[in-house]
Short mmCIF file of all heavy atoms in Angstrom, two decimals:
data_model
loop_
_atom_site.label_atom_id
_atom_site.label_comp_id
_atom_site.label_asym_id
_atom_site.label_seq_id
_atom_site.Cartn_x
_atom_site.Cartn_y
_atom_site.Cartn_z
N MET A 8 19.47 12.65 -32.28
CA MET A 8 18.15 11.80 -32.32
C MET A 8 18.01 11.18 -30.84
O MET A 8 18.90 10.50 -30.42
CB MET A 8 18.42 10.61 -33.28
CG MET A 8 18.09 10.98 -34.69
SD MET A 8 16.35 11.16 -34.96
CE MET A 8 15.73 9.45 -35.05
N PRO A 9 16.99 11.46 -30.31
CA PRO A 9 16.66 10.83 -29.02
C PRO A 9 16.44 9.32 -29.23
O PRO A 9 15.85 8.92 -30.25
CB PRO A 9 15.39 11.47 -28.48
CG PRO A 9 14.81 12.04 -29.79
CD PRO A 9 15.81 12.37 -30.71
N ASN A 10 16.79 8.59 -28.25
CA ASN A 10 16.71 7.04 -28.44
C ASN A 10 15.25 6.68 -27.79
O ASN A 10 15.20 6.31 -26.75
CB ASN A 10 17.78 6.43 -27.54
CG ASN A 10 17.76 4.95 -27.67
OD1 ASN A 10 17.03 4.40 -28.60
ND2 ASN A 10 18.39 4.14 -26.83
N LEU A 11 14.34 6.97 -28.60
CA LEU A 11 12.88 6.63 -28.23
C LEU A 11 12.26 5.61 -29.16
O LEU A 11 11.45 5.82 -29.99
CB LEU A 11 12.09 7.81 -28.16
CG LEU A 11 12.50 8.98 -27.10
CD1 LEU A 11 11.74 10.30 -27.38
CD2 LEU A 11 12.35 8.38 -25.70
N LYS A 12 12.69 4.37 -28.97
CA LYS A 12 12.11 3.34 -29.80
C LYS A 12 10.78 2.77 -29.23
O LYS A 12 10.68 2.85 -28.00
CB LYS A 12 13.18 2.25 -29.87
CG LYS A 12 14.44 2.42 -30.54
CD LYS A 12 15.01 1.20 -30.67
CE LYS A 12 16.53 1.23 -30.90
NZ LYS A 12 17.07 -0.10 -31.00
N PRO A 13 9.92 2.36 -30.02
CA PRO A 13 8.70 1.71 -29.62
C PRO A 13 9.09 0.60 -28.70
O PRO A 13 10.20 -0.13 -28.93
CB PRO A 13 8.03 1.37 -30.97
CG PRO A 13 8.66 2.16 -31.92
CD PRO A 13 10.08 2.45 -31.51
N TYR A 14 8.30 0.18 -27.81
CA TYR A 14 8.55 -0.90 -26.82
C TYR A 14 8.78 -2.17 -27.58
O TYR A 14 9.71 -2.99 -27.21
CB TYR A 14 7.40 -1.05 -25.93
CG TYR A 14 7.44 -2.12 -25.00
CD1 TYR A 14 8.32 -2.05 -23.91
CD2 TYR A 14 6.69 -3.28 -25.18
CE1 TYR A 14 8.51 -3.18 -23.01
CE2 TYR A 14 6.76 -4.29 -24.23
CZ TYR A 14 7.73 -4.34 -23.16
OH TYR A 14 7.80 -5.34 -22.32
N THR A 15 8.05 -2.46 -28.60
CA THR A 15 8.18 -3.74 -29.24
C THR A 15 9.63 -3.84 -29.92
O THR A 15 10.18 -4.89 -29.94
CB THR A 15 7.15 -3.83 -30.40
OG1 THR A 15 7.26 -2.68 -31.20
CG2 THR A 15 5.79 -4.07 -29.85
N ASP A 16 10.17 -2.67 -30.35
CA ASP A 16 11.55 -2.65 -30.99
C ASP A 16 12.61 -3.01 -29.79
O ASP A 16 13.48 -3.68 -29.97
CB ASP A 16 11.87 -1.35 -31.58
CG ASP A 16 11.32 -1.27 -32.96
OD1 ASP A 16 10.58 -2.26 -33.42
OD2 ASP A 16 11.40 -0.24 -33.61
N GLN A 17 12.30 -2.36 -28.67
CA GLN A 17 13.19 -2.76 -27.54
C GLN A 17 13.20 -4.15 -27.23
O GLN A 17 14.24 -4.77 -26.91
CB GLN A 17 12.85 -1.79 -26.28
CG GLN A 17 13.03 -0.40 -26.56
CD GLN A 17 12.68 0.38 -25.31
OE1 GLN A 17 12.70 -0.08 -24.27
NE2 GLN A 17 12.18 1.57 -25.48
N VAL A 18 11.98 -4.70 -27.15
CA VAL A 18 11.89 -6.12 -26.82
C VAL A 18 12.66 -6.93 -27.91
O VAL A 18 13.35 -7.96 -27.57
CB VAL A 18 10.39 -6.52 -26.72
CG1 VAL A 18 10.27 -8.08 -26.65
CG2 VAL A 18 9.77 -5.94 -25.61
N SER A 19 12.45 -6.59 -29.16
CA SER A 19 13.13 -7.35 -30.27
C SER A 19 14.62 -7.27 -30.14
O SER A 19 15.28 -8.19 -30.26
CB SER A 19 12.62 -6.71 -31.68
OG SER A 19 13.14 -7.49 -32.57
N ASP A 20 15.17 -6.07 -29.74
CA ASP A 20 16.57 -5.87 -29.67
C ASP A 20 17.05 -6.71 -28.48
O ASP A 20 18.04 -7.39 -28.57
CB ASP A 20 16.85 -4.43 -29.31
CG ASP A 20 16.81 -3.60 -30.66
OD1 ASP A 20 16.55 -4.15 -31.76
OD2 ASP A 20 16.89 -2.39 -30.53
N ALA A 21 16.26 -6.74 -27.30
CA ALA A 21 16.72 -7.45 -26.22
C ALA A 21 16.79 -9.00 -26.49
O ALA A 21 17.51 -9.70 -26.07
CB ALA A 21 15.70 -7.22 -25.11
N TYR A 22 15.76 -9.34 -27.19
CA TYR A 22 15.55 -10.76 -27.59
C TYR A 22 16.85 -11.24 -28.37
O TYR A 22 17.51 -12.25 -28.10
CB TYR A 22 14.37 -10.96 -28.42
CG TYR A 22 14.14 -12.50 -28.81
CD1 TYR A 22 13.74 -13.39 -27.86
CD2 TYR A 22 14.29 -12.89 -30.18
CE1 TYR A 22 13.59 -14.73 -28.19
CE2 TYR A 22 14.14 -14.18 -30.50
CZ TYR A 22 13.80 -15.07 -29.62
OH TYR A 22 13.60 -16.41 -29.96
N THR A 23 17.29 -10.37 -29.35
CA THR A 23 18.57 -10.68 -30.05
C THR A 23 19.62 -10.81 -29.25
O THR A 23 20.49 -11.73 -29.26
CB THR A 23 18.75 -9.56 -31.08
OG1 THR A 23 17.62 -9.49 -31.88
CG2 THR A 23 19.94 -9.92 -31.94
N ARG A 24 19.78 -9.94 -28.21
CA ARG A 24 20.89 -10.02 -27.28
C ARG A 24 20.80 -11.29 -26.36
O ARG A 24 21.92 -11.99 -26.23
CB ARG A 24 20.99 -8.82 -26.38
CG ARG A 24 21.52 -7.59 -27.17
CD ARG A 24 21.98 -6.52 -26.21
NE ARG A 24 20.96 -5.97 -25.42
CZ ARG A 24 19.98 -5.05 -25.90
NH1 ARG A 24 20.21 -4.42 -27.03
NH2 ARG A 24 19.07 -4.60 -25.08
N PHE A 25 19.64 -11.43 -25.71
CA PHE A 25 19.71 -12.43 -24.61
C PHE A 25 19.61 -13.90 -25.16
O PHE A 25 19.80 -14.84 -24.42
CB PHE A 25 18.68 -12.17 -23.55
CG PHE A 25 17.16 -12.33 -23.96
CD1 PHE A 25 16.70 -13.54 -24.28
CD2 PHE A 25 16.40 -11.31 -23.81
CE1 PHE A 25 15.35 -13.67 -24.61
CE2 PHE A 25 15.06 -11.37 -24.10
CZ PHE A 25 14.42 -12.64 -24.55
N THR A 26 19.34 -14.03 -26.44
CA THR A 26 19.57 -15.43 -27.05
C THR A 26 20.94 -15.94 -26.90
O THR A 26 21.21 -17.13 -26.90
CB THR A 26 19.05 -15.55 -28.45
OG1 THR A 26 19.68 -14.51 -29.23
CG2 THR A 26 17.49 -15.32 -28.47
N ALA A 27 21.84 -14.99 -26.82
CA ALA A 27 23.25 -15.41 -26.65
C ALA A 27 23.71 -15.71 -25.26
O ALA A 27 24.71 -16.27 -25.06
CB ALA A 27 24.18 -14.40 -27.32
N GLY A 28 22.78 -15.39 -24.27
CA GLY A 28 23.20 -15.60 -22.85
C GLY A 28 22.12 -15.49 -22.01
O GLY A 28 20.95 -15.13 -22.38
N MET A 29 22.44 -15.58 -20.66
CA MET A 29 21.43 -15.47 -19.68
C MET A 29 20.91 -13.95 -19.58
O MET A 29 21.67 -13.02 -19.71
CB MET A 29 22.10 -15.85 -18.28
CG MET A 29 21.02 -16.01 -17.19
SD MET A 29 19.79 -17.40 -17.37
CE MET A 29 20.92 -18.68 -17.02
N ARG A 30 19.57 -13.84 -19.29
CA ARG A 30 19.04 -12.50 -19.04
C ARG A 30 18.48 -12.50 -17.74
O ARG A 30 17.85 -13.52 -17.30
CB ARG A 30 17.95 -12.36 -20.07
CG ARG A 30 17.08 -11.08 -19.85
CD ARG A 30 17.74 -9.97 -20.72
NE ARG A 30 16.70 -8.90 -20.67
CZ ARG A 30 17.07 -7.64 -20.81
NH1 ARG A 30 18.33 -7.37 -20.99
NH2 ARG A 30 16.20 -6.66 -20.78
N THR A 31 18.60 -11.35 -17.03
CA THR A 31 18.00 -11.32 -15.65
C THR A 31 17.09 -10.11 -15.64
O THR A 31 17.44 -9.00 -16.07
CB THR A 31 19.19 -11.12 -14.61
OG1 THR A 31 20.09 -12.20 -14.76
CG2 THR A 31 18.61 -11.01 -13.18
N LEU A 32 16.00 -10.33 -15.08
CA LEU A 32 14.91 -9.40 -14.89
C LEU A 32 14.90 -9.04 -13.36
O LEU A 32 15.00 -9.97 -12.52
CB LEU A 32 13.65 -9.85 -15.35
CG LEU A 32 13.42 -10.14 -16.87
CD1 LEU A 32 12.12 -10.75 -17.08
CD2 LEU A 32 13.62 -8.88 -17.70
N ARG A 33 14.66 -7.80 -13.13
CA ARG A 33 14.50 -7.35 -11.63
C ARG A 33 13.25 -6.51 -11.56
O ARG A 33 12.83 -5.72 -12.50
CB ARG A 33 15.72 -6.46 -11.19
CG ARG A 33 17.01 -7.28 -11.11
CD ARG A 33 18.06 -6.51 -10.61
NE ARG A 33 19.41 -7.08 -10.60
CZ ARG A 33 20.11 -7.21 -11.67
NH1 ARG A 33 19.77 -6.53 -12.79
NH2 ARG A 33 21.25 -7.78 -11.71
N CYS A 34 12.60 -6.73 -10.44
CA CYS A 34 11.52 -5.79 -10.12
C CYS A 34 11.94 -4.27 -9.92
O CYS A 34 12.98 -4.14 -9.24
CB CYS A 34 10.83 -6.29 -8.87
SG CYS A 34 9.34 -5.29 -8.30
N PRO A 35 11.17 -3.40 -10.45
CA PRO A 35 11.64 -2.00 -10.36
C PRO A 35 11.18 -1.36 -9.06
O PRO A 35 11.67 -0.23 -8.74
CB PRO A 35 10.79 -1.29 -11.52
CG PRO A 35 9.66 -2.15 -11.64
CD PRO A 35 10.03 -3.52 -11.38
N VAL A 36 10.51 -2.04 -8.20
CA VAL A 36 10.10 -1.53 -6.87
C VAL A 36 11.27 -1.60 -5.94
O VAL A 36 11.91 -2.62 -5.80
CB VAL A 36 8.84 -2.34 -6.32
CG1 VAL A 36 8.56 -1.86 -4.88
CG2 VAL A 36 7.78 -2.23 -7.14
N PRO A 37 11.54 -0.37 -5.28
CA PRO A 37 12.72 -0.32 -4.38
C PRO A 37 12.54 -1.24 -3.22
O PRO A 37 11.45 -1.33 -2.53
CB PRO A 37 12.77 1.16 -3.91
CG PRO A 37 12.02 1.83 -4.95
CD PRO A 37 10.97 0.97 -5.52
N GLY A 38 13.55 -2.10 -2.80
CA GLY A 38 13.47 -2.95 -1.67
C GLY A 38 13.05 -4.39 -2.15
O GLY A 38 13.17 -5.24 -1.34
N CYS A 39 12.50 -4.51 -3.34
CA CYS A 39 12.04 -5.87 -3.75
C CYS A 39 13.27 -6.62 -4.38
O CYS A 39 13.90 -6.13 -5.14
CB CYS A 39 10.95 -5.71 -4.79
SG CYS A 39 10.19 -7.22 -5.28
N THR A 40 13.39 -7.89 -4.02
CA THR A 40 14.65 -8.60 -4.37
C THR A 40 14.31 -9.55 -5.46
O THR A 40 15.04 -10.48 -5.80
CB THR A 40 15.15 -9.36 -3.17
OG1 THR A 40 14.20 -10.16 -2.58
CG2 THR A 40 15.66 -8.39 -2.13
N LEU A 41 13.02 -9.41 -6.11
CA LEU A 41 12.63 -10.44 -7.03
C LEU A 41 13.62 -10.50 -8.26
O LEU A 41 13.91 -9.30 -8.74
CB LEU A 41 11.22 -10.16 -7.52
CG LEU A 41 10.77 -11.08 -8.69
CD1 LEU A 41 10.11 -12.31 -8.14
CD2 LEU A 41 9.95 -10.33 -9.82
N ARG A 42 13.99 -11.57 -8.58
CA ARG A 42 14.77 -11.65 -9.94
C ARG A 42 14.29 -12.86 -10.80
O ARG A 42 14.05 -13.87 -10.09
CB ARG A 42 16.25 -11.90 -9.64
CG ARG A 42 16.99 -10.64 -9.13
CD ARG A 42 18.37 -10.93 -8.80
NE ARG A 42 18.99 -9.77 -8.19
CZ ARG A 42 20.29 -9.78 -7.70
NH1 ARG A 42 21.01 -10.80 -7.99
NH2 ARG A 42 20.83 -8.70 -7.11
N ILE A 43 14.23 -12.72 -11.92
CA ILE A 43 13.90 -13.77 -12.85
C ILE A 43 14.98 -14.03 -13.88
O ILE A 43 15.36 -13.03 -14.51
CB ILE A 43 12.51 -13.49 -13.59
CG1 ILE A 43 11.36 -13.33 -12.60
CG2 ILE A 43 12.24 -14.62 -14.62
CD1 ILE A 43 10.09 -12.87 -13.17
N ARG A 44 15.53 -15.14 -13.99
CA ARG A 44 16.61 -15.49 -14.94
C ARG A 44 16.14 -16.45 -15.94
O ARG A 44 15.34 -17.40 -15.53
CB ARG A 44 17.87 -16.01 -14.28
CG ARG A 44 18.54 -15.10 -13.36
CD ARG A 44 19.69 -15.71 -12.74
NE ARG A 44 20.37 -14.76 -11.80
CZ ARG A 44 21.35 -15.13 -11.06
NH1 ARG A 44 21.86 -16.30 -10.99
NH2 ARG A 44 22.00 -14.20 -10.29
N TYR A 45 16.44 -16.18 -17.15
CA TYR A 45 16.08 -17.16 -18.17
C TYR A 45 16.99 -16.92 -19.40
O TYR A 45 17.81 -16.01 -19.46
CB TYR A 45 14.62 -16.78 -18.60
CG TYR A 45 14.47 -15.40 -19.10
CD1 TYR A 45 14.62 -15.14 -20.49
CD2 TYR A 45 14.00 -14.33 -18.33
CE1 TYR A 45 14.37 -13.90 -21.03
CE2 TYR A 45 13.91 -13.08 -18.87
CZ TYR A 45 13.94 -12.84 -20.21
OH TYR A 45 13.88 -11.56 -20.63
N ARG A 46 16.88 -18.01 -20.23
CA ARG A 46 17.62 -17.86 -21.50
C ARG A 46 16.91 -18.79 -22.56
O ARG A 46 16.29 -19.85 -22.19
CB ARG A 46 19.05 -18.33 -21.34
CG ARG A 46 19.20 -19.77 -20.78
CD ARG A 46 20.62 -20.06 -20.52
NE ARG A 46 21.37 -20.43 -21.60
CZ ARG A 46 22.68 -20.86 -21.60
NH1 ARG A 46 23.32 -20.74 -20.45
NH2 ARG A 46 23.23 -21.21 -22.65
N ASN A 47 17.14 -18.51 -23.74
CA ASN A 47 16.60 -19.40 -24.86
C ASN A 47 15.00 -19.60 -24.67
O ASN A 47 14.61 -20.71 -24.80
CB ASN A 47 17.19 -20.66 -24.93
CG ASN A 47 18.80 -20.51 -25.14
OD1 ASN A 47 19.06 -19.58 -25.88
ND2 ASN A 47 19.55 -21.45 -24.78
N VAL A 48 14.30 -18.52 -24.47
CA VAL A 48 12.83 -18.59 -24.43
C VAL A 48 12.32 -17.95 -25.74
O VAL A 48 13.02 -17.11 -26.36
CB VAL A 48 12.32 -17.97 -23.20
CG1 VAL A 48 12.74 -18.75 -21.93
CG2 VAL A 48 12.52 -16.56 -23.11
N THR A 49 11.11 -18.17 -25.95
CA THR A 49 10.46 -17.54 -27.10
C THR A 49 10.32 -16.05 -26.73
O THR A 49 10.28 -15.64 -25.68
CB THR A 49 9.24 -18.23 -27.51
OG1 THR A 49 8.26 -17.91 -26.38
CG2 THR A 49 9.31 -19.65 -27.64
N GLN A 50 10.03 -15.22 -27.76
CA GLN A 50 9.74 -13.84 -27.49
C GLN A 50 8.49 -13.53 -26.74
O GLN A 50 8.35 -12.67 -25.93
CB GLN A 50 9.68 -13.02 -28.97
CG GLN A 50 9.77 -11.59 -28.83
CD GLN A 50 10.14 -10.84 -30.04
OE1 GLN A 50 10.35 -11.53 -31.01
NE2 GLN A 50 10.31 -9.59 -30.04
N ASP A 51 7.47 -14.44 -26.95
CA ASP A 51 6.21 -14.38 -26.26
C ASP A 51 6.54 -14.57 -24.72
O ASP A 51 5.98 -13.90 -23.85
CB ASP A 51 5.25 -15.32 -26.76
CG ASP A 51 4.49 -14.84 -28.06
OD1 ASP A 51 4.70 -13.65 -28.39
OD2 ASP A 51 3.83 -15.63 -28.73
N GLU A 52 7.35 -15.65 -24.48
CA GLU A 52 7.67 -16.00 -23.15
C GLU A 52 8.46 -14.92 -22.42
O GLU A 52 8.21 -14.58 -21.31
CB GLU A 52 8.30 -17.34 -23.04
CG GLU A 52 8.69 -18.00 -21.76
CD GLU A 52 7.37 -18.33 -20.92
OE1 GLU A 52 6.28 -18.27 -21.49
OE2 GLU A 52 7.66 -18.71 -19.81
N ALA A 53 9.33 -14.39 -23.20
CA ALA A 53 10.24 -13.34 -22.58
C ALA A 53 9.40 -12.12 -22.22
O ALA A 53 9.58 -11.52 -21.25
CB ALA A 53 11.28 -12.93 -23.68
N GLY A 54 8.39 -11.84 -23.07
CA GLY A 54 7.45 -10.69 -22.87
C GLY A 54 6.61 -10.88 -21.68
O GLY A 54 6.42 -9.97 -20.93
N ARG A 55 6.18 -12.22 -21.48
CA ARG A 55 5.33 -12.59 -20.35
C ARG A 55 6.19 -12.47 -19.01
O ARG A 55 5.74 -11.94 -18.02
CB ARG A 55 4.83 -13.93 -20.43
CG ARG A 55 3.75 -14.33 -19.56
CD ARG A 55 3.46 -15.88 -19.69
NE ARG A 55 4.53 -16.75 -19.24
CZ ARG A 55 4.72 -17.02 -17.92
NH1 ARG A 55 3.98 -16.52 -17.07
NH2 ARG A 55 5.74 -17.79 -17.58
N LEU A 56 7.42 -12.86 -19.08
CA LEU A 56 8.32 -12.81 -17.90
C LEU A 56 8.57 -11.36 -17.60
O LEU A 56 8.71 -10.99 -16.39
CB LEU A 56 9.63 -13.62 -18.10
CG LEU A 56 9.48 -15.16 -18.22
CD1 LEU A 56 10.74 -15.72 -18.79
CD2 LEU A 56 9.03 -15.71 -16.96
N THR A 57 8.80 -10.50 -18.61
CA THR A 57 9.12 -9.09 -18.38
C THR A 57 7.95 -8.44 -17.67
O THR A 57 8.16 -7.73 -16.85
CB THR A 57 9.48 -8.46 -19.66
OG1 THR A 57 10.60 -9.08 -20.23
CG2 THR A 57 9.83 -7.03 -19.51
N ALA A 58 6.78 -8.85 -18.25
CA ALA A 58 5.56 -8.28 -17.55
C ALA A 58 5.46 -8.68 -16.08
O ALA A 58 5.05 -7.87 -15.28
CB ALA A 58 4.33 -8.62 -18.41
N LEU A 59 5.70 -9.94 -15.92
CA LEU A 59 5.66 -10.49 -14.47
C LEU A 59 6.64 -9.75 -13.59
O LEU A 59 6.32 -9.27 -12.50
CB LEU A 59 5.88 -11.97 -14.55
CG LEU A 59 5.92 -12.54 -13.10
CD1 LEU A 59 4.57 -12.40 -12.49
CD2 LEU A 59 6.25 -14.07 -13.30
N ALA A 60 7.92 -9.58 -13.99
CA ALA A 60 8.82 -8.91 -13.25
C ALA A 60 8.52 -7.51 -12.91
O ALA A 60 8.81 -6.98 -11.86
CB ALA A 60 10.21 -9.07 -13.97
N ASN A 61 7.89 -6.82 -13.86
CA ASN A 61 7.62 -5.46 -13.72
C ASN A 61 6.27 -5.18 -12.90
O ASN A 61 6.01 -4.01 -12.52
CB ASN A 61 7.41 -4.70 -15.03
CG ASN A 61 8.76 -4.53 -15.66
OD1 ASN A 61 9.88 -4.21 -14.96
ND2 ASN A 61 8.94 -4.65 -16.96
N ASP A 62 5.46 -6.23 -12.78
CA ASP A 62 4.23 -6.02 -12.05
C ASP A 62 4.39 -6.59 -10.59
O ASP A 62 4.21 -7.77 -10.33
CB ASP A 62 3.16 -6.86 -12.80
CG ASP A 62 1.72 -6.62 -12.18
OD1 ASP A 62 1.64 -5.94 -11.12
OD2 ASP A 62 0.78 -7.08 -12.73
N HIS A 63 4.76 -5.65 -9.71
CA HIS A 63 5.09 -5.98 -8.34
C HIS A 63 3.89 -6.57 -7.67
O HIS A 63 4.10 -7.47 -6.68
CB HIS A 63 5.55 -4.74 -7.63
CG HIS A 63 5.96 -4.98 -6.21
ND1 HIS A 63 7.19 -5.71 -5.94
CD2 HIS A 63 5.50 -4.66 -4.99
CE1 HIS A 63 7.30 -5.78 -4.64
NE2 HIS A 63 6.30 -5.08 -4.03
N THR A 64 2.69 -6.28 -7.97
CA THR A 64 1.48 -6.75 -7.35
C THR A 64 1.37 -8.22 -7.51
O THR A 64 0.69 -8.99 -6.76
CB THR A 64 0.13 -6.14 -7.77
OG1 THR A 64 0.02 -6.37 -9.17
CG2 THR A 64 0.25 -4.57 -7.55
N ARG A 65 2.07 -8.73 -8.52
CA ARG A 65 1.88 -10.24 -8.83
C ARG A 65 2.90 -11.12 -7.99
O ARG A 65 2.80 -12.24 -8.02
CB ARG A 65 2.01 -10.47 -10.30
CG ARG A 65 0.92 -9.90 -11.06
CD ARG A 65 0.99 -10.11 -12.59
NE ARG A 65 0.96 -11.45 -12.93
CZ ARG A 65 1.14 -11.94 -14.19
NH1 ARG A 65 1.35 -11.17 -15.18
NH2 ARG A 65 1.07 -13.28 -14.38
N HIS A 66 3.95 -10.44 -7.37
CA HIS A 66 4.81 -11.16 -6.65
C HIS A 66 5.03 -10.71 -5.17
O HIS A 66 5.98 -11.17 -4.46
CB HIS A 66 6.13 -11.44 -7.35
CG HIS A 66 6.78 -10.13 -7.72
ND1 HIS A 66 6.64 -9.64 -9.06
CD2 HIS A 66 7.37 -9.22 -7.00
CE1 HIS A 66 7.35 -8.49 -9.09
NE2 HIS A 66 7.79 -8.22 -7.88
N SER A 67 4.21 -9.76 -4.83
CA SER A 67 4.38 -9.22 -3.47
C SER A 67 3.25 -9.93 -2.59
O SER A 67 2.23 -10.38 -3.19
CB SER A 67 4.19 -7.65 -3.50
OG SER A 67 2.86 -7.31 -3.88
N VAL A 68 3.60 -9.85 -1.29
CA VAL A 68 2.59 -10.48 -0.37
C VAL A 68 1.55 -9.35 -0.01
O VAL A 68 1.86 -8.38 0.55
CB VAL A 68 3.27 -10.99 0.95
CG1 VAL A 68 2.19 -11.48 1.90
CG2 VAL A 68 4.28 -12.05 0.53
N ARG A 69 0.35 -9.51 -0.33
CA ARG A 69 -0.71 -8.56 -0.08
C ARG A 69 -1.23 -8.85 1.37
O ARG A 69 -1.51 -9.96 1.66
CB ARG A 69 -1.77 -8.69 -1.18
CG ARG A 69 -1.15 -8.63 -2.47
CD ARG A 69 -2.26 -8.29 -3.53
NE ARG A 69 -2.30 -6.93 -3.92
CZ ARG A 69 -3.08 -6.39 -4.80
NH1 ARG A 69 -3.90 -7.16 -5.56
NH2 ARG A 69 -3.22 -5.19 -5.03
N LYS A 70 -1.45 -7.75 2.06
CA LYS A 70 -2.12 -7.82 3.35
C LYS A 70 -3.55 -7.32 3.40
O LYS A 70 -3.87 -6.55 2.63
CB LYS A 70 -1.21 -7.02 4.42
CG LYS A 70 0.10 -7.60 4.46
CD LYS A 70 1.01 -6.71 5.48
CE LYS A 70 2.38 -7.36 5.55
NZ LYS A 70 3.23 -6.49 6.33
ZN1 LIG B 8 8.51 -6.72 -6.75
#
C-alpha cells in the first residue's frame, strides 16, 4: 500500500503528534532560513502557519 493519504489526514496526524511537543516548520525553498515554531495551537492555526511556511512569496523580500 502506498502511503498516499489525503492532505487533511496528514494534517490531522501531525496535529495529534505536535500537541505533545514543539513543532517546527521550514520553508521548502533552498537557501531560505525561515522557521516557524509553535505548539498547542488549534488545527486551523496550524494549517494557517503551515500555509505561511510553504508560501515563500509571503516571507521573501520582493524586488
Ligand atoms: Zn522562504
Side-chain angles (χ1 to χ4, degrees):
M8 276 289 285
N10 184 18
L11 294 175
K12 295 191 200 176
Y14 178 70
T15 49
D16 279 359
Q17 291 182 31
V18 170
S19 184
D20 288 351
Y22 181 71
T23 300
R24 283 197 298 275
F25 70 62
T26 48
M29 188 71 75
R30 172 91 172 157
T31 303
L32 298 171
R33 293 184 187 84
C34 178
V36 176
C39 184
T40 58
L41 177 93
R42 289 183 189 175
I43 298 173
R44 290 181 182 175
Y45 60 90
R46 62 189 276 183
N47 297 332
V48 299
T49 66
Q50 193 161 1
D51 281 351
E52 182 69 0
R55 195 184 67 80
L56 291 171
T57 301
L59 175 62
N61 286 324
D62 189 353
H63 185 67
T64 61
R65 292 179 66 181
H66 56 256
S67 63
V68 177
R69 309 191 95 175
K70 293 180 180 176

